[in-house]
Amino acid sequence: MGYIQEARENHVKKKVEEALRSKMKQKALKECNQYTAKYAECASGRTLSVIWQCRQQAKELNECLHQFTNDSVLEEMKKAYMLQQDGKGSSSA
């Protein structure tokens, strides 16, 4: 019984998970705006050379984005969502 209860707590609907992923990505882009700007500035006017000319900027941007878009961040967002839903359910009962 404990395993089933835990699975229910960790499960969120697919649409909710997609919304949480989208929110996570938006937050990451906002938090990493300075790195995005640096990469965009470097890439401006380039085509194929962007690959090697902007390698450092791309690396910095990816490192920043990864801080805000990983499985542990998503799991925390799911837990917060579930707690929020539980709070709504118990306050209206």
Side-chain angles (χ1 to χ4, degrees):
M1 185 78 168
Y3 175 77
I4 294 171
Q5 181 66 28
E6 185 178 326
R8 283 187 186 141
E9 289 174 2
N10 291 333
H11 176 74
V12 287
K13 292 180 181 174
K14 192 71 168 168
K15 285 190 176 194
V16 171
E17 184 172 335
E18 289 173 8
L20 290 174
R21 281 187 188 277
S22 178
K23 188 175 178 181
M24 178 176 66
K25 289 176 185 178
Q26 289 174 354
K27 181 181 181 200
L29 288 172
K30 184 178 177 184
E31 295 290 332
C32 299
N33 189 41
Q34 66 183 6
Y35 297 105
T36 305
K38 284 181 186 178
Y39 181 75
E41 183 181 323
C42 178
S44 179
R46 298 181 196 272
T47 53
L48 289 177
S49 66
V50 73
I51 296 168
W52 58 86
Q53 291 292 328
C54 304
R55 185 173 290 153
Q56 183 61 38
Q57 292 86 343
K59 181 180 177 189
E60 291 171 354
L61 175 58
N62 284 331
E63 287 173 354
C64 181
L65 290 173
H66 184 70
Q67 292 176 31
F68 300 100
T69 56
N70 58 56
D71 290 341
S72 63
V73 172
L74 183 60
E75 287 303 315
E76 288 299 316
M77 291 178 77
K78 286 180 185 179
K79 286 179 187 176
Y81 174 81
M82 295 300 284
L83 288 172
Q84 182 183 16
Q85 294 305 320
D86 287 346
K88 286 181 182 178
S90 64
S91 65
S92 63

